[in-house]
Amino acid sequence: MVQLSDDSGRPTAGDAARRAVASVGDDAIRRAIAVSAIELLHSPGPEALIARILERIGQACGVSRVQLYEDKRDPSGAVAPALRSAWLAPNVAAAPQRSGSGTLAGQAPSLPAQDGAVALLARDAPEPLRGVLSAAGVKSVLMMPVAVGGARYGEVHFDDCVQERAWSAAEIDALRLLAEMIGTAIARARDLQEFSDISWVIDHSPVILYRIGGKAPFPMTYISRNVRRYGYDGRDLLSSPCRYQELFHPDDLPAVMTTITAIATGEVSEVIRERRLRDADGNYIWFEDRARGHYGPGHELLEIEGLLVDISERKNSELKLEQISLADPVTGLPNRKAFMAELERAYSAARRGGPAFAIHYIDLDRFKDINDVFGHSKGDELLKAVADRLRRMRRRNADVIARFGGDEFVVLQSEISDPADAGALAARLLKAIEEPFNLGMEIHTTASIGIAVFSPEVTGTEEMIKQVDLALYRAKDLGRNQFHFHSEALDAATIERVMLGGDLQRALDRGELQLNFQPQVEIATGRIIGFEALARWNHPTKGPIGPARFVAIAESNGTIHRLGRWVIDAVCQQISQWRAAGLKPPPVSFNVSAGQLRGAAEFDRELAERLRHWSVGPKAVEIELTETVLMETTQRHRDIIGRLYSLGVPIAIDDFGTGYSSLSYLRTYRVDHIKVAQEFIKDIKPGSGGIAIVRAAISLGRELGIPVIAEGVETRFQLDLVKEAGCQFVQGFYFSPPVPADRAAELLQRGVVVPDETGKPAS
Ligand code: C2E
Ligand code: MG
Ligand code: MG
């Protein structure tokens, strides 16, 4: 048995062997270890590295084999060494498997060990180890334990098949270092494996980790890689560190920022909220956002750390459940419950001063017959088809269409300005339902509609439902296929307006409208400086209808654009005709209402186009806008006046003094005429103080250099007063009422207007 050398320097049986390897020496081993250590630091993969270390050490020591065994447990729980890596010197055969129970070194418990390392000559080894070693041709072996992470892993065996080798204490120390390195390499490999397992978990985890810096604008400083599940590259996100804020749903962003601020101020340190974030494809995904602040010693926020947990599945099923509970299964429309919630919302908004709204309660006429004749499934099909038609009639998103059950539908019409709006919609709904339904066969049906309009007097939504129910009952009672309001007064007025609305469409087609022209006159000379074109409607059965009435109807049923186009064309055509007749018409003004300017960009483009079409220059016409229209439109389409100016069309302020009192537009845009509203002129009676406003308007006009026209001057008395107040121009019955085109041509020919001294309208 070979003794390890001891400090006494007493010769041992191993001395000879030790001398024999002196040429190799522990220097070579140390060098090999140093090189291996450097490799270990830059190791690409542990397996290859261990093989390389074994080789290098084997060569440095001059042994026959270096083998790494791992302690494995067999099914009985006993340790069974397993070969993990081996280096063999040239011409040395691989050793048979060193099996046996217990650790290999442990099989020689009687051998002296130095910190677990055992060196022995094969012939000294106890059985069964001796047999194992001699079968492998081993003359001597050094068994060095390997620990990984503080626990025993196995052993490295240095086999010498040539000689009985003795190991110096220094060599053994050096090799122990080597065993440690191997242990480290194995530990690293395990860590890497574990790390890649963790990476796998993170990559497949629905949880995204993030960190946000503690100071405004709260840049993102970390985001876990798995954000790529949502199509983002984490590095890209971090390169524009505040971009994450743009990814929140616009509805959620304010709350997100409030939360961050609350954490920053220390108001709360931890917040759990549900948020929507946009993925790279633009879809919003629901997350649970758990954010927690980390604070410095002075309670200042250092950073916010958080988790985003994908909860879209849960949300979607919640949403579906909610939809199921709020939707009618046959038509997919909101059900009564959902409708009542919307109604409640519209009602309280209107109560707070929001827009008025109307409820339409629609009941199909004789639906029971359809069910009886064609069967219930056709009945259901019809309900679906009706629902589709109603859906298509919806003007705004705020309008709600619901099914109350059976053959009853309800429409919540949002933002109405007049009950006539509701009447107009009901008429359209009836018409839409009246069209035959093609459901494999043609089915005809009609409906009755009850309407309730919000008014501040209604006590609540329940009362409105009662009203609308009664109204429907009346509609049915009075013969079906019609609509009724909950109040008779509304019914009469609205039905007339709705009827007139329909008639107006036809009137435009049939040429029932015409223009009259009222001269604008210079007081001093009687000279005509302009004409105002005023629309007239000669209704075939109802007789003449004034513009004050039909313009309002046109506004509420959407005919206003057609009407407006017709006026522009008629004005241009008249100017062309007068010119063709050798007359020199002064500028002809026409009125433009708010509804016409709703699509303001269209209006000025269309006007330019029509003027070009008729070869009429922009100065041949003038646009009259009331202050209210002007203010409303400039608020919505800031530069409408500017654009009209760039067309070169003059602008007059109509009914001056009756609208908003803001005069700023007069300074910004130099309008071409101010027309003092006739209601002020009307007030000018002997002894009244009405002239004050006229005077004020005139001095304002003079200061700004804008000519003023007094409207509605009927009497000599009024004329004298406006003249005395400094007004140079008038338009009114005193000189002439609005007259048809041929009569206007006569006036033009004369060039001056002789006042009607009676002061009565001449026609
Ligand atoms: P407006 O633009 O202020 O037109 C002047 C109105 O005063 C005209 O009424 C005219 O007939 C009336 N009038 C003129 N002189 C006198 C007078 O001495 N005494 C009285 N009592 N009335 C006088 P009309 O034609 O009924 O038009 C009413 C309003 O309807 C117009 O007011 C204008 O705002 C609007 N309107 C008329 N035609 C059109 C049109 O073609 N398009 C649009 N959008 N609105 C129009
Ligand atoms: Mg006018
Ligand atoms: Mg006017």
Side-chain angles (χ1 to χ4, degrees), residues 594-742:
Q596 277 174 271
L597 292 177
R598 293 255 150 81
E602 300 301 318
F603 178 79
D604 63 66
R605 220 175 303 140
E606 206 169 272
L607 176 58
E609 196 270 317
R610 292 328 285 162
L611 290 175
R612 250 197 319 275
H613 174 88
W614 291 102
S615 308
V616 167
K619 299 285 182 233
V621 294
E622 183 169 63
I623 295 176
E624 294 199 7
L625 299 172
T626 65
E627 291 165 295
T628 313
V629 170
L630 193 70
M631 294 308 286
E632 228 181 86
T633 355
T634 39
Q635 263 161 21
R636 263 184 240 199
H637 315 281
R638 311 224 68 208
D639 56 341
I640 174 69
I641 304 298
R643 286 206 303 269
L644 290 174
Y645 260 109
S646 48
L647 280 184
V649 180
I651 293 172
I653 305 297
D654 203 356
D655 299 349
F656 182 82
T658 60
Y660 290 103
S661 54
S662 161
L663 297 177
S664 56
Y665 61 86
L666 288 180
R667 297 188 191 280
T668 320
Y669 300 105
R670 226 203 59 115
V671 300
D672 299 87
H673 287 107
I674 292 174
K675 300 181 75 179
V676 179
Q678 49 173 290
E679 61 188 78
F680 302 120
I681 311 294
K682 210 166 54 204
D683 283 350
I684 306 176
K685 293 190 188 102
S688 84
I691 193 68
I693 291 171
V694 182
R695 262 199 250 280
I698 288 166
S699 62
L700 178 78
R702 196 180 299 140
E703 191 192 315
L704 297 172
I706 305 171
V708 174
I709 301 174
E711 277 192 291
V713 170
E714 292 185 1
T715 64
R716 178 81 211 193
F717 181 77
Q718 290 168 338
L719 182 76
D720 286 345
L721 274 188
V722 299
K723 197 160 96 180
E724 186 207 311
C727 185
Q728 292 173 284
F729 308 103
V730 294
Q731 175 185 342
F733 294 167
Y734 178 73
F735 282 104
S736 167
V739 293
D742 49 353

Side-chain angles (χ1 to χ4, degrees), residues 40 43-50 148 153 181-197:
L40 181 67
S43 142
E47 308 256 317
L49 173 70
I50 290 170
V148 172
Y153 169 85
M181 278 170 45
I182 291 175
T184 308
I186 295 169
R188 270 267 303 272
R190 279 189 188 166
D191 284 351
L192 277 177
Q193 181 58 44
E194 197 174 323
F195 194 70
S196 78
D197 288 350

Side-chain angles (χ1 to χ4, degrees), residues 309-329:
V309 184
D310 190 329
I311 52 165
S312 43
E313 267 178 39
R314 191 191 86 204
K315 271 283 170 190
N316 288 344
S317 49
E318 271 175 17
L319 223 67
K320 255 185 223 133
L321 267 179
E322 196 178 293
Q323 275 162 2
I324 290 169
S325 80
L326 291 177
D328 159 49

Side-chain angles (χ1 to χ4, degrees), residues 423-682:
L425 176 63
R428 275 185 284 134
L429 293 171
L430 287 180
K431 198 151 169 268
I433 294 171
E434 228 176 33
E435 297 287 318
F437 289 88
N438 197 344
L439 306 172
M441 61 184 74
E442 216 167 70
I443 295 186
H444 292 261
T445 186
T446 54
S448 305
I449 302 181
I451 307 172
V453 179
F454 170 83
S455 84
E457 291 83 53
V458 211
T459 55
T461 52
E462 280 308 322
E463 190 189 334
M464 284 190 81
I465 294 288
K466 256 187 232 147
Q467 286 181 342
V468 83
D469 203 36
L470 273 174
L472 173 64
Y473 179 78
R474 281 185 49 210
K476 290 253 174 218
D477 205 37
L478 291 169
R480 299 162 208 262
N481 195 18
Q482 51 183 292
F483 64 84
H484 276 276
F485 281 85
H486 65 273
S487 98
E488 267 174 63
L490 267 183
D491 261 358
T494 309
I495 287 169
E496 202 213 336
R497 291 186 68 171
V498 171
M499 304 266 293
L500 275 185
D503 289 354
L504 184 58
Q505 305 255 21
R506 281 186 291 275
L508 283 162
D509 297 333
R510 292 181 193 159
E512 288 170 17
L513 271 81
Q514 67 166 78
L515 287 183
N516 273 6
F517 299 88
Q518 186 175 29
Q520 298 166 339
V521 182
E522 188 179 42
I523 301 175
T525 59
R527 186 171 62 93
I528 300 172
I529 59 143
F531 276 117
E532 175 173 9
L534 294 155
R536 296 286 174 265
W537 179 10
N538 201 3
H539 192 281
T541 56
K542 295 190 166 69
I545 298 175
R549 202 154 149 225
F550 68 78
V551 168
I553 293 173
E555 288 253 351
S556 74
N557 78 355
T559 326
I560 191 67
H561 291 286
R562 269 196 75 194
L563 176 64
R565 265 195 301 269
W566 177 84
V567 170
I568 292 172
D569 273 335
V571 165
C572 292
Q573 188 179 21
Q574 191 58 66
I575 292 172
S576 308
Q577 276 177 12
W578 280 335
R579 283 180 181 165
L583 296 169
K584 286 204 176 61
V588 179
S589 68
F590 58 91
N591 298 279
V592 172
S593 70
Q596 277 174 271
L597 292 177
R598 293 255 150 81
E602 300 301 318
F603 178 79
D604 63 66
R605 220 175 303 140
E606 206 169 272
L607 176 58
E609 196 270 317
R610 292 328 285 162
L611 290 175
R612 250 197 319 275
H613 174 88
W614 291 102
S615 308
V616 167
K619 299 285 182 233
V621 294
E622 183 169 63
I623 295 176
E624 294 199 7
L625 299 172
T626 65
E627 291 165 295
T628 313
V629 170
L630 193 70
M631 294 308 286
E632 228 181 86
T633 355
T634 39
Q635 263 161 21
R636 263 184 240 199
H637 315 281
R638 311 224 68 208
D639 56 341
I640 174 69
I641 304 298
R643 286 206 303 269
L644 290 174
Y645 260 109
S646 48
L647 280 184
V649 180
I651 293 172
I653 305 297
D654 203 356
D655 299 349
F656 182 82
T658 60
Y660 290 103
S661 54
S662 161
L663 297 177
S664 56
Y665 61 86
L666 288 180
R667 297 188 191 280
T668 320
Y669 300 105
R670 226 203 59 115
V671 300
D672 299 87
H673 287 107
I674 292 174
K675 300 181 75 179
V676 179
Q678 49 173 290
E679 61 188 78
F680 302 120
I681 311 294
K682 210 166 54 204

Side-chain angles (χ1 to χ4, degrees), residues 320-351:
K320 255 185 223 133
L321 267 179
E322 196 178 293
Q323 275 162 2
I324 290 169
S325 80
L326 291 177
D328 159 49
V330 176
T331 60
L333 289 175
N335 61 17
R336 187 183 190 107
K337 187 174 159 206
F339 180 85
M340 290 309 286
E342 293 294 336
L343 177 59
E344 227 23 272
R345 217 167 309 177
Y347 179 82
S348 16
R351 269 249 167 267

